[in-house]
Amino acid sequence: SNPRIGDESTNSWLTPVNECEWGGVACWGTNDNRNGCMDQIDFEQDGLSGSLIPEMHNLSELRFFILEQGTIAGQIPSDYGLFEKLLIFDMDFNDLTGPIPDELFNMDMLQQLDLNDNNLSGPLSTNIGNLKTLTFLQLDHNELSGSIPSEMGELTNLRIGFFNDNDLTGVMPPEVCANRNNTSPPGLLGTLVTDCSPPNPEVDCPCCSSCNVPN
């Protein structure tokens, strides 16, 4: 076993102790070749501001990158696609802008992508289908446009998908509907939400579990 370091630490950042003892940080132990590398950065409602720096991807053993409910602005660096071990990328309730970079869909171990309640814009890339291990996807409450790509249907491990409160239009691809847990044989996708409420749905989604009323 390799117990983590710093799980319960509350030291302020830049305190003159090992970085693994700073609050919001946890590191791998020193019992194997990960040797104290950073494993988790987790802040929620801590008033974090500024922008995301590209150099974060140099934390090669990072699995959890969570900066929720702050005022972080600017774009998501394309260099984040270089994270090789990341399982959770959670930046919800911030002020991020611009498109979701294509490179983000290179994180082939990612299980949770949580970008809701930002100001992200532009279309969803067809490369989203590369996230084969993804189980949880929240993109709601942004300014995303275009249609939901059929490649979303390649996410056969996805259990939850929120796309509502965007500027998305068109039809939910049948490849996605085929993954719903009420099909035969059943898939894993239990929650699927878009702006599909009548009488004028922005997304035609006969297979959605819930239809949001567009703002």
Side-chain angles (χ1 to χ4, degrees), residues 9 17 35-36 44 71 87 100 107 119 134 144 160 170 175 181 185 195 212:
S9 296
V17 296
N35 195 27
E44 182 176 349
T71 56
L87 302 179
I100 301 172
M107 297 191 291
N119 300 301
L134 201 68
L144 299 173
I160 296 173
E175 293 88 348
N181 63 354
D195 295 324
N212 186 66

Side-chain angles (χ1 to χ4, degrees), residues 98-99 120-124 143-146 168:
L120 298 168
S121 59
L124 275 175
E143 300 169 12
L144 299 173
S145 58
L168 296 167

Side-chain angles (χ1 to χ4, degrees), residues 77-82 100-107 127:
S78 60
D79 287 1
Y80 286 7
L82 297 173
I100 301 172
D102 239 22
E103 291 82 358
L104 217 61
F105 304 126
N106 294 332
M107 297 191 291
N127 289 328

